[in-house]
Structures are given as C-alpha cells and as structure tokens.
Amino acid sequence: MQHQETSVGRARLRWQAIKRRTGGIDREAIQWLFATCGVIASGLGVAQFIWPAGAAAIGGWWLLGTMAVGVIGGLVLRVTKRTIRAVHSARDWSIHIVPGSVLDHRPCVITTDRRRSTSAEKIAPTSLMGQYLQTLSPDDRSALESAVERATLSRPGDVQVVESSHQPGQILLLACGRPTSTGTVTTWSHLTQTYDGLWAAIRSRHLDEVTIPVIGAGYSRVSLSHSAVLLALLLSFHAASSERPVCRRLRIVVPPSDTDQEELVLARRFLSALRYSLT
C-alpha cells in the first residue's frame, strides 16, 4: 500500500513538472489542433476533387500524420511562447512580459537592498542590485552610494532616481520593505504601498515606458508564490492605469531561470479576463 502511494506521489510530481514546462492544456493549443484539422479537411477536399481514387487511399495516413504534427506543433507552441504582449482595449497602454534581465533596459526599476545599502560586502552578487553594481565604474559606484545616502528610502514605495555615465537612462531605486532594528519586514500591505508609490513616481516623471522585475518575488516575507506576486503586480498596474494612465508601456522582465509556462498561461488568462488583447 505504501509503495502504491509512493508511486502515485511520484507520478503526480512528474505531471506537475510537465505542466510547469508546457503550461498544460491551454486554449491556444486547442485552437492550434482545430486549425490543423481544418487544414486536413481542406486538403482532403482538394485531393478528392483532383484525384478521387487516390484521396481515399492516402486519406487515413495523411490524417494520422497531420494530427501528429498538429499535436506536436501545439506542444512546441506552448513551450516556446515565453512572452506576453497585452494591449488594453482602449489602447492607452500595454503590458509586456518577457524573459531576460531588467538591466538590459532603460529606464528600469531596481528594488533596494533590505539595509538600503550599496556596499558590495552587504549585497549578494546574484541579486539585481548586486548585478547592477558590477556594471558600474568606481566613480559611478561612489555617485550611487552618495545618492542613496542622501535619499529618503525609508518607506515602501519611496523612489530615488539615479543615472550612470556609461549607459544613458534612468534607474529608479525602489524601497520595498520597511527597515526595522533587526532587519526588514515586508508584508502584503507593504507590497501594496510599494506598487502605489512606484506608479505615482512613474507618473510624476512622465515616463513613456518602464521596465520592472516581478516586485516582491523572492524579496518579501509574505508567503506568496511567484505567480501570486505577478498577478498582484498586474492587477495593481491595471487598477492604477484605469484611474489615470501610468505609462504607455510596462515591461515586466522575468529571468529565464524563473520563466514558468504554467505561470505565463495563468497571466494570459488573467489579462484576458481584464479585457486585454493578447498578441
């Protein structure tokens, strides 16, 4: 009995892993399959008209072969479609979700270290801030340290704008958590304040577009999954833009290692429910 439960548990884990990589069964994959069936029917109709005897002979094999191609094509479509472009119905703004690095775009948002520090000794080199520091010259790093020291980044949503000489474009340093005597605490309420403060800062600077990470993922202590934080971010931007447009284009960058097909499918469905046109 215990062996059967172990086998079932392993099978469930394998299926969940397949769903994460492929996104599971989705509307687009079904549409791809129906389109393939339409091509099959059209092809057989033309063959029947041109070659009545041969169409019957090859019809079965052609049907099976094309069905196999359709199924494989639908699966490949789910695996390779790693970007989302959603345009609001009023076409005042759009949301793009793409793989890559936030630092490849300007202007972009970087969440500050929990200690509001730019010291390389206190920041993990793999963090977004750590990666940014590695791209700076000594002079630019000194200027950044001075800017952070002068800045008021004490509350979630506080923003400090900096620029470096080697790559034109603004960097928006964003405070996400609330510093305490023992470190930093980040709750769901803090994330809400963070989003609201960021949208207000983007509006005040009249930015046409901005690139951000999934703010709160891997940073907050709110016990939320990456998918939940992404959906909260999308909903916050949509709600703020519905009151008054924040910017023309919001680009959300997800590191390739964190790109999850099941999460992207969920984000597509969520944006579709908010009446965005997906391309």
Side-chain angles (χ1 to χ4, degrees):
M1 183 68 178
Q2 185 177 1
H3 177 70
Q4 290 180 345
E5 291 178 353
T6 302
S7 300
V8 171
R10 289 176 179 174
R12 185 179 295 111
L13 290 175
R14 284 196 294 269
W15 169 243
Q16 291 175 350
I18 292 172
K19 285 187 67 179
R20 284 194 299 270
R21 289 194 296 268
T22 65
I25 299 174
D26 187 49
R27 184 186 307 168
E28 295 177 10
I30 295 175
Q31 290 174 345
W32 177 281
L33 183 60
F34 280 145
T36 302
C37 293
V39 172
I40 293 173
S42 300
L44 288 176
V46 173
Q48 181 70 31
F49 179 77
I50 298 175
W51 187 24
I58 66 174
W61 291 108
W62 191 10
L63 178 64
L64 290 176
T66 312
M67 285 286 289
V69 170
V71 172
I72 294 174
L75 180 61
V76 171
L77 179 67
R78 300 306 312 129
V79 172
T80 59
K81 192 167 185 180
R82 295 181 178 272
T83 62
I84 297 175
R85 183 175 182 271
V87 181
H88 187 254
S89 56
R91 298 193 176 275
D92 292 328
W93 67 85
S94 62
I95 299 173
H96 298 206
I97 303 177
V98 300
S101 172
V102 171
L103 300 177
D104 293 336
H105 306 272
R106 293 292 188 276
C108 70
V109 173
I110 299 178
T111 52
T112 60
D113 176 74
R114 294 180 187 277
R115 292 168 292 275
R116 308 291 191 260
S117 171
T118 58
S119 173
E121 291 76 20
K122 297 180 180 179
I123 298 175
T126 55
S127 67
L128 191 56
M129 177 61 79
Q131 295 174 46
Y132 177 56
L133 291 176
Q134 294 172 27
T135 68
L136 299 179
S137 65
D139 291 341
D140 283 337
R141 181 172 295 188
S142 298
L144 176 64
E145 291 176 356
S146 299
V148 172
E149 288 176 359
R150 295 192 306 268
T152 303
L153 294 171
S154 59
R155 298 177 303 172
D158 286 347
V159 173
Q160 171 70 21
V161 178
V162 299
E163 293 198 41
S164 61
S165 58
H166 77 288
Q167 184 173 356
Q170 297 177 333
I171 298 287
L172 279 66
L173 298 181
L174 173 67
C176 188
R178 185 181 295 279
T180 65
S181 58
T182 58
T184 301
V185 60
T186 305
T187 64
W188 177 248
S189 176
H190 293 151
L191 280 183
T192 302
Q193 296 174 43
T194 298
Y195 299 151
D196 290 344
L198 177 60
W199 309 143
I202 293 172
R203 283 197 194 103
S204 67
R205 288 162 178 81
H206 306 288
L207 298 180
D208 190 51
E209 68 173 54
V210 68
T211 300
I212 66 175
V214 181
I215 299 169
Y219 181 87
S220 61
R221 299 175 182 175
V222 293
S223 301
L224 288 175
S225 67
H226 193 277
S227 298
V229 175
L230 174 59
L231 296 185
L233 180 62
L234 292 173
L235 182 58
S236 176
F237 177 79
H238 173 77
S241 298
S242 297
E243 294 178 358
R244 184 159 60 94
V246 174
C247 61
R248 185 177 60 86
R249 177 185 299 147
L250 176 72
R251 183 185 296 108
I252 302 174
V253 175
V254 181
S257 58
D258 293 337
T259 304
D260 189 318
Q261 282 299 314
E262 190 173 11
E263 177 177 284
L264 293 179
V265 169
L266 185 62
R268 288 190 189 98
R269 292 173 177 169
F270 186 72
L271 289 168
S272 179
L274 293 176
R275 305 203 174 177
Y276 282 79
S277 300
L278 301 179
T279 59

